Short mmCIF file of all heavy atoms in Angstrom, two decimals:
data_model
loop_
_atom_site.label_atom_id
_atom_site.label_comp_id
_atom_site.label_asym_id
_atom_site.label_seq_id
_atom_site.Cartn_x
_atom_site.Cartn_y
_atom_site.Cartn_z
N ASP D 92 -8.54 20.99 4.77
CA ASP D 92 -9.20 21.02 6.10
C ASP D 92 -8.42 19.98 7.03
O ASP D 92 -7.89 18.97 6.60
CB ASP D 92 -10.61 20.51 6.00
CG ASP D 92 -11.42 20.74 7.22
OD1 ASP D 92 -11.88 21.87 7.46
OD2 ASP D 92 -11.48 19.78 8.04
N GLU D 93 -8.38 20.34 8.30
CA GLU D 93 -7.75 19.56 9.31
C GLU D 93 -8.35 18.09 9.28
O GLU D 93 -7.57 17.15 9.50
CB GLU D 93 -7.92 20.09 10.72
CG GLU D 93 -7.16 21.36 10.95
CD GLU D 93 -5.73 21.06 11.32
OE1 GLU D 93 -5.45 19.97 11.79
OE2 GLU D 93 -4.83 21.98 11.07
N ALA D 94 -9.58 17.95 9.02
CA ALA D 94 -10.24 16.65 8.99
C ALA D 94 -9.65 15.76 7.86
O ALA D 94 -9.54 14.52 8.00
CB ALA D 94 -11.73 16.78 8.90
N VAL D 95 -9.36 16.42 6.70
CA VAL D 95 -8.80 15.66 5.62
C VAL D 95 -7.36 15.19 5.95
O VAL D 95 -7.00 14.03 5.68
CB VAL D 95 -8.68 16.59 4.30
CG1 VAL D 95 -7.96 15.89 3.21
CG2 VAL D 95 -10.15 16.97 3.95
N TRP D 96 -6.59 16.03 6.58
CA TRP D 96 -5.26 15.68 7.06
C TRP D 96 -5.36 14.46 8.04
O TRP D 96 -4.55 13.49 7.94
CB TRP D 96 -4.53 16.82 7.61
CG TRP D 96 -3.94 17.79 6.66
CD1 TRP D 96 -4.45 18.92 6.17
CD2 TRP D 96 -2.69 17.62 6.02
NE1 TRP D 96 -3.61 19.56 5.26
CE2 TRP D 96 -2.49 18.75 5.11
CE3 TRP D 96 -1.65 16.66 6.01
CZ2 TRP D 96 -1.44 18.93 4.29
CZ3 TRP D 96 -0.53 16.92 5.21
CH2 TRP D 96 -0.43 17.98 4.37
N ALA D 97 -6.24 14.63 9.00
CA ALA D 97 -6.35 13.62 10.02
C ALA D 97 -6.84 12.28 9.48
O ALA D 97 -6.30 11.22 9.88
CB ALA D 97 -7.39 14.11 11.10
N ALA D 98 -7.79 12.28 8.54
CA ALA D 98 -8.22 11.04 7.94
C ALA D 98 -7.14 10.39 7.16
O ALA D 98 -7.01 9.20 7.17
CB ALA D 98 -9.45 11.31 7.04
N ALA D 99 -6.37 11.16 6.35
CA ALA D 99 -5.28 10.63 5.59
C ALA D 99 -4.21 9.88 6.49
O ALA D 99 -3.76 8.79 6.22
CB ALA D 99 -4.61 11.67 4.76
N TRP D 100 -3.91 10.61 7.57
CA TRP D 100 -2.94 10.06 8.50
C TRP D 100 -3.49 8.74 9.17
O TRP D 100 -2.78 7.78 9.34
CB TRP D 100 -2.50 11.06 9.53
CG TRP D 100 -1.33 10.63 10.32
CD1 TRP D 100 -1.32 10.18 11.56
CD2 TRP D 100 0.04 10.65 9.87
NE1 TRP D 100 0.00 9.89 11.96
CE2 TRP D 100 0.86 10.21 10.86
CE3 TRP D 100 0.67 11.08 8.70
CZ2 TRP D 100 2.21 10.05 10.80
CZ3 TRP D 100 1.99 10.92 8.56
CH2 TRP D 100 2.80 10.46 9.65
N ASP D 101 -4.76 8.86 9.54
CA ASP D 101 -5.35 7.71 10.26
C ASP D 101 -5.39 6.41 9.35
O ASP D 101 -5.01 5.33 9.88
CB ASP D 101 -6.73 8.05 10.71
CG ASP D 101 -7.29 7.10 11.77
OD1 ASP D 101 -6.68 6.99 12.85
OD2 ASP D 101 -8.29 6.41 11.42
N VAL D 102 -5.83 6.58 8.15
CA VAL D 102 -6.01 5.43 7.26
C VAL D 102 -4.70 4.97 6.61
O VAL D 102 -4.33 3.82 6.63
CB VAL D 102 -7.03 5.72 6.17
CG1 VAL D 102 -7.16 4.54 5.23
CG2 VAL D 102 -8.39 6.02 6.82
N ASN D 103 -3.91 5.93 6.13
CA ASN D 103 -2.71 5.58 5.40
C ASN D 103 -1.52 5.27 6.26
O ASN D 103 -0.55 4.67 5.77
CB ASN D 103 -2.37 6.76 4.45
CG ASN D 103 -3.38 7.01 3.38
OD1 ASN D 103 -4.25 6.15 3.14
ND2 ASN D 103 -3.40 8.13 2.81
N VAL D 104 -1.55 5.62 7.50
CA VAL D 104 -0.35 5.35 8.45
C VAL D 104 -0.82 4.59 9.64
O VAL D 104 -0.35 3.49 9.92
CB VAL D 104 0.34 6.63 8.81
CG1 VAL D 104 1.56 6.32 9.69
CG2 VAL D 104 0.82 7.43 7.65
N MET D 105 -1.68 5.22 10.43
CA MET D 105 -1.99 4.63 11.75
C MET D 105 -2.73 3.29 11.63
O MET D 105 -2.59 2.45 12.54
CB MET D 105 -2.81 5.61 12.62
CG MET D 105 -2.08 6.81 13.02
SD MET D 105 -0.48 6.44 13.81
CE MET D 105 -0.97 5.45 15.22
N ALA D 106 -3.49 3.03 10.62
CA ALA D 106 -4.07 1.69 10.43
C ALA D 106 -3.00 0.60 10.31
O ALA D 106 -3.12 -0.47 10.85
CB ALA D 106 -5.02 1.69 9.22
N HIS D 107 -1.84 0.98 9.68
CA HIS D 107 -0.70 0.10 9.61
C HIS D 107 -0.06 -0.12 10.90
O HIS D 107 0.28 -1.28 11.39
CB HIS D 107 0.37 0.66 8.63
CG HIS D 107 -0.22 0.79 7.18
ND1 HIS D 107 0.66 0.89 6.12
CD2 HIS D 107 -1.47 0.96 6.72
CE1 HIS D 107 -0.04 1.05 5.02
NE2 HIS D 107 -1.36 1.06 5.36
N VAL D 108 0.08 0.94 11.69
CA VAL D 108 0.71 0.84 12.97
C VAL D 108 -0.17 -0.03 13.93
O VAL D 108 0.30 -0.93 14.62
CB VAL D 108 0.83 2.26 13.61
CG1 VAL D 108 1.34 2.17 15.05
CG2 VAL D 108 1.81 3.08 12.77
N ARG D 109 -1.49 0.15 13.89
CA ARG D 109 -2.36 -0.59 14.72
C ARG D 109 -2.40 -2.04 14.36
O ARG D 109 -2.44 -2.96 15.25
CB ARG D 109 -3.80 -0.02 14.67
CG ARG D 109 -3.88 1.40 15.25
CD ARG D 109 -5.33 2.01 15.05
NE ARG D 109 -5.29 3.41 15.41
CZ ARG D 109 -5.63 4.40 14.65
NH1 ARG D 109 -6.09 4.11 13.34
NH2 ARG D 109 -5.60 5.59 15.01
N ALA D 110 -2.33 -2.31 13.10
CA ALA D 110 -2.22 -3.76 12.64
C ALA D 110 -0.98 -4.41 13.14
O ALA D 110 -0.98 -5.57 13.69
CB ALA D 110 -2.39 -3.78 11.16
N ALA D 111 0.13 -3.69 12.98
CA ALA D 111 1.45 -4.30 13.42
C ALA D 111 1.41 -4.51 14.91
O ALA D 111 1.98 -5.55 15.35
CB ALA D 111 2.59 -3.33 13.02
N ARG D 112 0.84 -3.62 15.70
CA ARG D 112 0.82 -3.82 17.18
C ARG D 112 0.03 -5.14 17.46
O ARG D 112 0.50 -5.88 18.40
CB ARG D 112 0.04 -2.64 17.85
CG ARG D 112 0.75 -1.39 17.95
CD ARG D 112 -0.21 -0.45 18.51
NE ARG D 112 0.37 0.96 18.59
CZ ARG D 112 -0.45 2.08 18.68
NH1 ARG D 112 -1.76 1.97 18.74
NH2 ARG D 112 0.14 3.26 18.75
N ALA D 113 -1.03 -5.41 16.75
CA ALA D 113 -1.82 -6.65 16.93
C ALA D 113 -1.12 -7.91 16.44
O ALA D 113 -1.34 -8.98 17.01
CB ALA D 113 -3.16 -6.52 16.33
N LEU D 114 -0.31 -7.78 15.44
CA LEU D 114 0.26 -8.94 14.76
C LEU D 114 1.62 -9.35 15.39
O LEU D 114 1.95 -10.53 15.39
CB LEU D 114 0.44 -8.60 13.25
CG LEU D 114 -0.86 -8.52 12.48
CD1 LEU D 114 -0.55 -7.77 11.13
CD2 LEU D 114 -1.47 -9.89 12.19
N LEU D 115 2.46 -8.34 15.68
CA LEU D 115 3.74 -8.60 16.11
C LEU D 115 4.05 -9.59 17.23
O LEU D 115 4.92 -10.42 17.14
CB LEU D 115 4.55 -7.31 16.37
CG LEU D 115 4.97 -6.51 15.06
CD1 LEU D 115 5.41 -5.09 15.47
CD2 LEU D 115 6.03 -7.27 14.30
N PRO D 116 3.22 -9.55 18.26
CA PRO D 116 3.53 -10.51 19.36
C PRO D 116 3.47 -11.95 18.86
O PRO D 116 4.41 -12.73 19.22
CB PRO D 116 2.39 -10.19 20.34
CG PRO D 116 2.08 -8.77 20.21
CD PRO D 116 2.25 -8.55 18.68
N ASP D 117 2.51 -12.33 18.10
CA ASP D 117 2.44 -13.69 17.57
C ASP D 117 3.61 -13.97 16.60
O ASP D 117 4.28 -15.06 16.62
CB ASP D 117 1.11 -13.97 16.90
CG ASP D 117 -0.05 -14.14 17.81
OD1 ASP D 117 0.24 -14.29 19.10
OD2 ASP D 117 -1.15 -14.14 17.36
N TRP D 118 3.86 -13.02 15.70
CA TRP D 118 4.86 -13.25 14.72
C TRP D 118 6.21 -13.37 15.34
O TRP D 118 7.06 -14.21 14.98
CB TRP D 118 4.86 -12.07 13.75
CG TRP D 118 3.68 -12.10 12.78
CD1 TRP D 118 2.75 -13.04 12.70
CD2 TRP D 118 3.45 -11.14 11.74
NE1 TRP D 118 1.86 -12.71 11.64
CE2 TRP D 118 2.30 -11.55 11.06
CE3 TRP D 118 4.08 -9.97 11.30
CZ2 TRP D 118 1.76 -10.84 10.00
CZ3 TRP D 118 3.52 -9.26 10.29
CH2 TRP D 118 2.41 -9.70 9.63
N LEU D 119 6.56 -12.51 16.32
CA LEU D 119 7.89 -12.63 16.94
C LEU D 119 8.02 -13.88 17.79
O LEU D 119 9.13 -14.47 17.87
CB LEU D 119 8.13 -11.37 17.79
CG LEU D 119 8.19 -10.03 17.06
CD1 LEU D 119 8.24 -8.90 17.95
CD2 LEU D 119 9.29 -10.03 16.10
N GLU D 120 6.95 -14.34 18.35
CA GLU D 120 7.01 -15.59 19.15
C GLU D 120 7.29 -16.78 18.28
O GLU D 120 8.15 -17.60 18.67
CB GLU D 120 5.65 -15.78 19.89
CG GLU D 120 5.71 -16.94 20.82
CD GLU D 120 4.37 -17.14 21.57
OE1 GLU D 120 3.50 -16.27 21.46
OE2 GLU D 120 4.28 -18.18 22.30
N ARG D 121 6.75 -16.79 17.11
CA ARG D 121 6.96 -17.99 16.29
C ARG D 121 8.05 -17.76 15.21
O ARG D 121 8.46 -18.70 14.53
CB ARG D 121 5.67 -18.40 15.56
CG ARG D 121 5.09 -17.54 14.53
CD ARG D 121 3.94 -18.21 13.86
NE ARG D 121 3.37 -17.42 12.79
CZ ARG D 121 2.24 -16.73 12.77
NH1 ARG D 121 1.48 -16.72 13.91
NH2 ARG D 121 1.85 -16.08 11.68
N GLY D 122 8.50 -16.50 15.07
CA GLY D 122 9.64 -16.27 14.19
C GLY D 122 9.28 -16.18 12.79
O GLY D 122 10.14 -16.40 11.85
#
Side-chain angles (χ1 to χ4, degrees):
D92 191 84
E93 288 281 335
V95 174
W96 281 96
W100 192 258
D101 192 65
V102 175
N103 294 344
V104 181
M105 291 309 300
H107 298 200
V108 174
R109 295 176 189 123
R112 286 176 186 159
L114 294 161
L115 282 169
D117 285 348
W118 286 359
L119 295 175
E120 182 178 357
R121 69 173 186 254

